[in-house]
Amino acid sequence: MEPDHCLNLIGAEWRPAEGKRTSRNVNPADPADVIGSFADSSANDAAEAVAAAVTVRDSWREAGSVARGALLFRAAELLAERATEFAAAIVREQGKLLREAHAEVVRSGEVLRFLAGEGRRLTGVAAPADDARTFAYTFRVPLGVVGLITPWNFPLAIPVWKTAAALVAGCTVVLKPSPLAPWTAALMAQLFLDAGLPSGVLNLVQGGRAAGEAIVAQPDVAGVSFTGSVPVGLAIQQAGAPRLLRTQLELGGNNAVLVLPGADLEAAVDAVVSGAFGQAGQRCSATSRVIVDAGLADALLPALTARVSALRVGRGGDPGVDMGPVITAAARQRCRAAVEHARTHGAQVWCGDEPLPPGLPDGNFLRPVVLSKVPQTSELLTGEVFGPVVSVLVADGPDEAIAIANSVPYGLSAAVFTPETSHALDTVQRLQAGMLHINRPTVGAYAHLPHIGTKLSQFGPPECSTEVMDFFTELRSVCVKY
Ligand code: NAD
């Protein structure tokens, strides 16, 4: 059967959801551009996908990690060949800039290659035992069938880094991407098939909450790796708790840039512009707050405003555009409502009210916003608005800056700008965030470094890096008497 990327992939077959139910996926820059009507899966569809993954669980484990790693290398080569196709799909489906989409494809390839190498690094340890004539060692076994549930903001990178880690570890997979990013995920599933992945090892279930909940509820699912919002992550954790389901939760943030005395203001402004408005602010590690020392605030605010006002908003694929649309009309409305609430409660809006350029289609476009004097009760300071809005807060010295940064329930990423090495190192020790940057934006991650957070931002072993194997494998210890 020819693949149809609007369908589910279950075992060897691309097939529709139960009752042929579908949901429409449109281009966020132009809702008249319908990408497709994708399967809207039921609990039964999810159960069938899990059953298909169970069927090949043993054979995939027995294939061995070196062979599984070799398959990931082939997938990385194919991805490089198809980079243009993938980048175009990401722009159309998610709305980001073409250069951001290309960067996502490149990063996905790097993660694939790094994790491919795990096929030769899945080691245990040899250990001493109390009895001198006993030899002890540990080894890893695959976790089993895993559910992978992903968001829409990195429609390729996040499905790739979860799937690649699961596959090299020897797990079989049921992937449920976001209903706002089904197409890129389907292209990714096809990529793994073309790289030689046996049928049933990777199953794709399109759909929304019902399909996600059903995957979590399946007793044959040994672990769920989830990336998305805090409320959904907590719901998954609670649903799995009665059977001690292993979960890996990569959740939201409200990330701060600290601009301390003596900081290079131009570099700090550059970092805030890219961190807050790259991908229209829709990155888990996006900058939401700038905490500036009182002595620098009067210089920073106009400099930042000048840069942000000049950003050109438009379709991600068009040349000369600096910021694409947000994902849905509802997301745009949420950003607008948060800004209006802050404004009516005393915030000063430095930019964001300018008109959009004429001639844009009826997409989810929004001007980037800079605010100051944001009230403590604002969702901009307490929650995750996930759009192109940044709040500038003034701190009276480094200690207060750190206290403000740590005052949110999240702890994903943070950045500090200071020329003083000792200040920088002291600050990163005290910041409650998993990914820390000194004189760099809050965004940016590498395949070999853990993608990690603290507090409500993350739970379980991190993604990327060798440490991800702690999620997708179980350790065994063996004692041998000789
Ligand atoms: P979301 O939580 O709304 O949805 C994520 C996924 O969960 C989707 O596939 C959705 O269909 C599914 N889902 C929804 N309800 C479910 C349920 N009850 N049970 C099981 N699955 C369910 O998030 P989103 O809007 O797609 O993505 C944006 C969020 O993702 C932001 O909060 C962002 O910070 C976060 N994010 C985090 C990271 C990270 O690494 N920490 C990376 C990217 C995005």
Side-chain angles (χ1 to χ4, degrees), residues 208-270:
R209 176 177 172 170
E213 284 177 340
I215 290 169
V216 175
Q218 284 292 313
D220 280 322
V221 169
V224 169
S225 175
F226 168 80
T227 300
S229 60
V230 170
V232 175
L234 292 175
I236 289 173
Q237 176 74 354
Q238 281 158 17
R243 61 187 175 96
L244 294 183
L245 176 70
R246 187 184 284 203
T247 57
Q248 178 183 51
L249 308 174
E250 307 286 336
L251 309 176
N254 185 318
N255 311 298
V257 166
L258 284 70
V259 186
L260 299 187
D264 176 342
L265 266 194
E266 205 180 318
V269 166
D270 271 353

Coordinates of all heavy atoms in Angstrom, one line a residue, residues 208-270:
G208 N -5.7 13.6 19.2 CA -5.5 14.5 20.3 C -5.6 13.8 21.6 O -5.0 12.7 21.8
R209 N -6.3 14.5 22.5 CA -6.3 14.0 23.9 C -6.7 12.6 24.1 O -6.1 11.8 24.9 CB -7.2 15.0 24.7 CG -7.3 14.7 26.1 CD -8.2 15.7 26.8 NE -8.5 15.2 28.2 CZ -9.0 15.9 29.1 NH1 -9.3 17.2 28.9 NH2 -9.3 15.4 30.3
A210 N -7.8 12.2 23.4 CA -8.4 10.8 23.6 C -7.3 9.8 23.3 O -7.1 8.8 24.0 CB -9.6 10.7 22.8
A211 N -6.6 10.0 22.2 CA -5.6 9.0 21.8 C -4.5 9.0 22.8 O -3.9 8.0 23.2 CB -5.1 9.4 20.4
G212 N -4.1 10.2 23.2 CA -3.0 10.3 24.2 C -3.3 9.6 25.5 O -2.6 8.8 26.1
E213 N -4.5 9.9 26.0 CA -5.0 9.2 27.3 C -5.0 7.7 27.1 O -4.6 7.0 28.0 CB -6.4 9.8 27.6 CG -6.3 11.2 28.2 CD -7.7 11.7 28.5 OE1 -8.7 11.2 28.0 OE2 -7.8 12.7 29.3
A214 N -5.4 7.3 25.9 CA -5.5 5.8 25.7 C -4.1 5.2 25.7 O -4.0 4.0 26.2 CB -6.3 5.5 24.4
I215 N -3.2 5.8 25.2 CA -1.8 5.3 25.2 C -1.3 5.1 26.6 O -0.7 4.1 27.0 CB -0.8 6.2 24.3 CG1 -1.2 6.1 22.9 CG2 0.6 5.8 24.6 CD1 -0.5 7.1 22.0
V216 N -1.5 6.2 27.4 CA -1.1 6.2 28.8 C -1.7 5.1 29.6 O -1.1 4.4 30.4 CB -1.4 7.6 29.5 CG1 -1.0 7.5 30.9 CG2 -0.6 8.7 28.7
A217 N -3.0 4.8 29.2 CA -3.8 3.8 30.0 C -3.5 2.3 29.6 O -3.9 1.4 30.3 CB -5.3 4.0 29.8
Q218 N -2.8 2.1 28.5 CA -2.6 0.7 28.0 C -1.6 0.0 28.9 O -0.5 0.5 29.1 CB -2.0 0.8 26.6 CG -2.9 1.1 25.5 CD -3.9 -0.1 25.3 OE1 -3.6 -1.2 25.3 NE2 -5.2 0.3 25.3
P219 N -2.0 -1.1 29.5 CA -1.1 -1.8 30.5 C 0.2 -2.3 29.8 O 1.2 -2.5 30.5 CB -1.9 -3.0 30.9 CG -3.2 -3.0 30.2 CD -3.3 -1.7 29.4
D220 N 0.2 -2.5 28.5 CA 1.5 -3.0 27.9 C 2.5 -1.9 27.6 O 3.6 -2.1 27.2 CB 1.1 -3.7 26.5 CG 0.7 -5.1 26.7 OD1 1.2 -5.8 27.6 OD2 -0.2 -5.5 26.0
V221 N 2.0 -0.6 27.9 CA 3.0 0.5 27.7 C 3.8 0.6 29.0 O 3.3 0.8 30.1 CB 2.2 1.8 27.4 CG1 3.1 3.0 27.5 CG2 1.6 1.7 26.0
A222 N 5.1 0.5 28.9 CA 6.0 0.4 30.0 C 6.5 1.8 30.4 O 7.0 2.0 31.5 CB 7.2 -0.5 29.8
G223 N 6.4 2.8 29.5 CA 6.8 4.1 29.8 C 6.2 5.1 28.9 O 5.9 4.8 27.7
V224 N 6.1 6.3 29.3 CA 5.6 7.4 28.5 C 6.5 8.6 28.6 O 6.8 9.1 29.6 CB 4.1 7.8 28.9 CG1 3.7 9.1 28.1 CG2 3.1 6.7 28.6
S225 N 7.1 9.0 27.4 CA 7.9 10.2 27.3 C 7.0 11.3 26.7 O 6.5 11.1 25.6 CB 9.1 9.9 26.5 OG 9.8 11.1 26.3
F226 N 6.8 12.3 27.5 CA 5.9 13.4 27.1 C 6.6 14.7 27.0 O 7.4 15.0 27.9 CB 4.7 13.5 28.1 CG 3.9 14.7 28.0 CD1 2.9 14.7 27.0 CD2 4.1 15.8 28.8 CE1 2.1 15.9 26.9 CE2 3.3 16.9 28.7 CZ 2.3 17.0 27.7
T227 N 6.3 15.5 26.0 CA 6.7 16.9 26.0 C 5.5 17.7 25.7 O 4.8 17.5 24.8 CB 7.8 17.2 24.9 OG1 8.9 16.4 25.2 CG2 8.2 18.6 24.9
G228 N 5.3 18.7 26.6 CA 4.1 19.6 26.4 C 3.9 20.4 27.6 O 4.8 20.8 28.3
S229 N 2.6 20.8 27.9 CA 2.3 21.7 28.9 C 2.3 21.1 30.3 O 2.1 19.9 30.4 CB 1.0 22.4 28.6 OG 0.0 21.4 28.6
V230 N 2.5 21.9 31.3 CA 2.5 21.4 32.7 C 1.2 20.7 33.0 O 1.2 19.5 33.6 CB 2.8 22.5 33.7 CG1 2.6 22.0 35.1 CG2 4.2 23.0 33.5
P231 N 0.0 21.2 32.8 CA -1.3 20.5 33.2 C -1.4 19.2 32.5 O -1.8 18.2 33.2 CB -2.4 21.5 32.7 CG -1.8 22.8 32.6 CD -0.3 22.6 32.2
V232 N -1.0 19.0 31.3 CA -1.1 17.7 30.6 C -0.1 16.8 31.2 O -0.4 15.6 31.5 CB -1.0 17.8 29.1 CG1 -1.0 16.4 28.5 CG2 -2.2 18.7 28.5
G233 N 1.1 17.3 31.5 CA 2.1 16.4 32.1 C 1.7 15.9 33.4 O 1.9 14.7 33.7
L234 N 1.1 16.8 34.2 CA 0.6 16.3 35.5 C -0.5 15.3 35.4 O -0.5 14.3 36.1 CB 0.1 17.5 36.4 CG 1.2 18.5 36.8 CD1 0.5 19.7 37.5 CD2 2.2 17.9 37.7
A235 N -1.4 15.5 34.4 CA -2.5 14.5 34.2 C -1.9 13.1 33.8 O -2.4 12.1 34.3 CB -3.4 15.0 33.1
I236 N -0.9 13.1 33.0 CA -0.3 11.9 32.6 C 0.4 11.2 33.8 O 0.2 10.0 34.0 CB 0.8 12.1 31.4 CG1 0.0 12.5 30.1 CG2 1.7 10.9 31.2 CD1 0.9 12.9 29.0
Q237 N 1.1 12.0 34.6 CA 1.8 11.4 35.7 C 0.7 10.8 36.7 O 0.9 9.7 37.2 CB 2.5 12.6 36.4 CG 3.2 12.3 37.7 CD 4.4 11.4 37.5 OE1 4.7 11.1 36.4 NE2 5.1 11.2 38.5
Q238 N -0.4 11.5 36.9 CA -1.4 11.0 37.8 C -2.1 9.8 37.2 O -2.4 8.8 38.0 CB -2.4 12.1 38.1 CG -1.8 13.1 39.2 CD -2.5 14.4 39.2 OE1 -3.6 14.6 38.6 NE2 -1.8 15.4 39.8
A239 N -2.3 9.8 35.9 CA -3.0 8.6 35.3 C -2.1 7.4 35.4 O -2.6 6.2 35.6 CB -3.3 8.9 33.9
G240 N -0.8 7.5 35.3 CA 0.1 6.4 35.3 C 0.5 5.9 36.7 O 1.0 4.8 36.9
A241 N 0.3 6.8 37.8 CA 0.8 6.5 39.1 C 0.3 5.2 39.7 O 1.1 4.5 40.3 CB 0.4 7.7 40.0
P242 N -1.0 4.8 39.5 CA -1.4 3.6 40.2 C -0.7 2.3 39.7 O -0.6 1.4 40.5 CB -2.9 3.5 39.8 CG -3.3 4.9 39.5 CD -2.1 5.5 38.9
R243 N -0.1 2.4 38.5 CA 0.7 1.2 38.1 C 2.2 1.5 38.0 O 3.0 0.9 37.3 CB 0.2 0.6 36.8 CG 0.2 1.5 35.6 CD -0.5 0.8 34.4 NE -0.5 1.7 33.3 CZ 0.3 1.7 32.3 NH1 1.3 0.8 32.3 NH2 0.2 2.5 31.2
L244 N 2.6 2.6 38.7 CA 4.0 3.1 38.7 C 4.6 3.2 37.3 O 5.7 2.8 37.0 CB 4.9 2.1 39.5 CG 4.6 2.1 41.0 CD1 5.6 1.1 41.7 CD2 4.7 3.4 41.7
L245 N 3.8 3.8 36.4 CA 4.2 4.0 35.0 C 5.5 4.9 35.0 O 5.5 5.9 35.7 CB 3.1 4.6 34.2 CG 3.4 5.0 32.8 CD1 3.6 3.7 31.9 CD2 2.4 5.9 32.2
R246 N 6.5 4.5 34.3 CA 7.7 5.3 34.2 C 7.3 6.5 33.3 O 6.9 6.3 32.2 CB 8.8 4.5 33.7 CG 10.1 5.3 33.7 CD 11.3 4.5 33.1 NE 11.8 3.5 33.9 CZ 13.0 3.0 33.8 NH1 13.8 3.5 32.9 NH2 13.4 2.0 34.6
T247 N 7.6 7.7 33.7 CA 7.3 8.8 32.9 C 8.5 9.7 32.8 O 9.3 9.8 33.7 CB 6.1 9.7 33.4 OG1 6.4 10.1 34.7 CG2 4.8 9.0 33.4
Q248 N 8.6 10.4 31.6 CA 9.6 11.4 31.4 C 8.8 12.6 30.9 O 8.2 12.5 29.8 CB 10.6 10.9 30.3 CG 11.7 11.9 29.9 CD 12.5 11.4 28.7 OE1 12.0 11.0 27.7 NE2 13.8 11.5 28.9
L249 N 8.8 13.7 31.6 CA 8.0 14.8 31.4 C 8.8 16.0 31.1 O 9.6 16.5 32.0 CB 7.0 15.1 32.5 CG 6.2 13.9 33.0 CD1 5.5 14.3 34.3 CD2 5.3 13.4 32.0
E250 N 8.7 16.6 29.9 CA 9.5 17.8 29.5 C 8.4 18.9 29.3 O 7.7 18.8 28.3 CB 10.2 17.5 28.2 CG 11.1 16.3 28.2 CD 12.4 16.5 29.0 OE1 12.8 17.6 29.2 OE2 12.9 15.5 29.5
L251 N 8.4 19.8 30.3 CA 7.2 20.7 30.3 C 7.6 22.2 30.1 O 8.6 22.5 29.5 CB 6.6 20.5 31.7 CG 6.3 19.0 32.0 CD1 5.7 18.8 33.4 CD2 5.4 18.4 31.0
G252 N 6.7 23.0 30.5 CA 6.8 24.4 30.1 C 7.8 25.2 31.0 O 8.5 24.7 31.9
G253 N 8.0 26.5 30.7 CA 8.9 27.4 31.4 C 8.4 28.8 31.4 O 7.4 29.2 30.7
N254 N 9.1 29.6 32.2 CA 8.9 31.1 32.1 C 10.3 31.6 32.4 O 10.7 31.9 33.6 CB 7.9 31.6 33.2 CG 7.6 33.1 33.0 OD1 8.6 33.8 32.8 ND2 6.4 33.5 33.2
N255 N 11.1 31.7 31.4 CA 12.6 31.8 31.5 C 13.0 33.2 31.5 O 12.5 34.1 30.9 CB 13.2 31.0 30.3 CG 12.6 29.6 30.2 OD1 12.7 28.8 31.1 ND2 11.9 29.4 29.0
A256 N 14.1 33.4 32.3 CA 14.6 34.8 32.6 C 16.0 35.0 32.0 O 16.8 34.1 32.1 CB 14.6 35.0 34.1
V257 N 16.2 36.2 31.5 CA 17.5 36.7 31.3 C 17.9 37.7 32.4 O 17.1 38.7 32.6 CB 17.6 37.4 29.9 CG1 18.9 38.2 29.8 CG2 17.5 36.4 28.8
L258 N 19.0 37.6 33.1 CA 19.4 38.5 34.1 C 20.4 39.4 33.5 O 21.4 38.9 33.0 CB 19.9 37.8 35.3 CG 18.9 37.1 36.3 CD1 18.3 35.9 35.6 CD2 19.6 36.7 37.5
V259 N 20.2 40.7 33.6 CA 21.2 41.7 33.1 C 21.8 42.4 34.3 O 21.2 43.3 34.9 CB 20.6 42.6 32.1 CG1 21.7 43.5 31.4 CG2 19.8 41.9 31.0
L260 N 23.0 42.0 34.7 CA 23.6 42.4 35.9 C 24.5 43.6 35.7 O 24.9 43.9 34.5 CB 24.4 41.3 36.6 CG 23.6 40.0 36.9 CD1 24.4 39.0 37.7 CD2 22.3 40.4 37.7
P261 N 24.9 44.3 36.7 CA 25.8 45.5 36.6 C 27.0 45.2 35.7 O 27.6 44.2 35.9 CB 26.2 45.9 38.0 CG 25.1 45.3 38.8 CD 24.6 44.1 38.2
G262 N 27.3 46.1 34.8 CA 28.5 46.0 33.9 C 28.2 45.1 32.7 O 29.1 45.0 31.9
A263 N 27.0 44.6 32.5 CA 26.7 43.7 31.4 C 26.9 44.4 30.1 O 26.7 45.7 30.0 CB 25.3 43.2 31.5
D264 N 27.3 43.7 29.0 CA 27.3 44.2 27.7 C 25.9 44.3 27.2 O 25.3 43.3 26.8 CB 28.2 43.2 26.8 CG 28.2 43.6 25.4 OD1 27.4 44.4 24.9 OD2 29.1 43.1 24.7
L265 N 25.4 45.6 27.2 CA 24.0 45.8 26.9 C 23.6 45.3 25.5 O 22.5 44.8 25.2 CB 23.6 47.3 27.0 CG 23.0 47.7 28.4 CD1 22.4 49.1 28.3 CD2 22.0 46.7 28.9
E266 N 24.5 45.6 24.5 CA 24.2 45.2 23.1 C 24.0 43.7 23.0 O 23.1 43.2 22.4 CB 25.3 45.8 22.2 CG 24.8 46.0 20.8 CD 26.0 46.5 19.9 OE1 26.8 47.3 20.4 OE2 26.1 46.0 18.8
A267 N 24.9 43.0 23.6 CA 24.9 41.5 23.6 C 23.6 41.1 24.3 O 22.9 40.1 23.9 CB 26.1 40.9 24.2
A268 N 23.3 41.7 25.4 CA 22.1 41.3 26.2 C 20.8 41.5 25.3 O 19.9 40.7 25.3 CB 22.0 42.0 27.5
V269 N 20.8 42.7 24.6 CA 19.6 43.0 23.8 C 19.5 42.0 22.7 O 18.4 41.4 22.4 CB 19.6 44.4 23.3 CG1 18.6 44.7 22.2 CG2 19.4 45.4 24.4
D270 N 20.6 41.7 22.0 CA 20.6 40.7 21.0 C 20.0 39.3 21.5 O 19.2 38.7 20.8 CB 22.1 40.3 20.6 CG 22.6 41.3 19.5 OD1 21.8 42.0 18.9 OD2 23.8 41.2 19.2

